[in-house]
Amino acid sequence: QVQLVESGGGLVQAGGSLKLSCAASGSIFRVNAEGWYRQAPGKQRELVAAITSGGSTNYSDSVKGRFTISRDNAKNTVHLQMNSLKPEDTAVYYCNVNLTPVWGGEYDYWGQGTQVTVSS
């Protein structure tokens, strides 16, 4: 079995910062790509940031220059540092991890979601 546990959401004023973390545990052979998505009320889930196994990153235009995705390979953890937060960043944030479990193959797993609320 594989589990993802997210942490770090909360309420912050505009201009503030938050750091999200997502730890994968269980029968993991290798973590491949990782990403953070968000879903605001009434909107579709969108990709915010992603990082490959080689460390290449990409960001949505709306967060470029403000958010930073990083990974700790030893701990199978991916982080999202969010700075200069805006009210429009308010959403439920989900981590997504593409990994190879010990029994082989590649699978996508989702975190439980964490609420980020930015007040104006």
Side-chain angles (χ1 to χ4, degrees):
Q1 298 293 334
V2 174
Q3 300 84 34
L4 298 185
V5 177
E6 296 184 30
S7 60
L11 172 64
V12 65
Q13 288 188 333
S17 298
L18 283 174
K19 185 175 183 178
L20 306 183
S21 297
C22 174
S25 63
S27 305
I28 300 170
F29 174 70
R30 182 181 63 242
V31 173
N32 304 315
E34 297 165 292
W36 287 94
Y37 291 71
R38 68 186 181 188
Q39 187 166 19
K43 295 188 176 181
Q44 289 188 333
R45 191 173 296 188
E46 62 173 352
L47 177 65
V48 174
I51 185 166
T52 68
S53 57
S56 298
T57 58
N58 69 284
Y59 299 90
S60 67
D61 288 342
S62 61
V63 307
K64 202 170 294 184
R66 300 187 296 122
F67 290 10
T68 302
I69 188 170
S70 62
R71 60 191 295 177
D72 183 338
N73 291 332
K75 297 181 179 180
N76 288 335
T77 300
V78 61
H79 305 285
L80 185 68
Q81 177 67 46
M82 305 184 293
N83 298 329
S84 302
L85 283 160
K86 304 176 181 180
E88 51 263 44
D89 294 318
T90 295
V92 178
Y93 284 69
Y94 299 90
C95 66
N96 174 271
V97 178
N98 179 276
L99 60 82
T100 298
V102 296
W103 57 83
E106 282 193 19
Y107 300 88
D108 279 324
Y109 291 85
W110 290 89
Q112 80 276 16
T114 186
Q115 177 71 46
V116 171
T117 303
V118 185
S119 63
S120 57

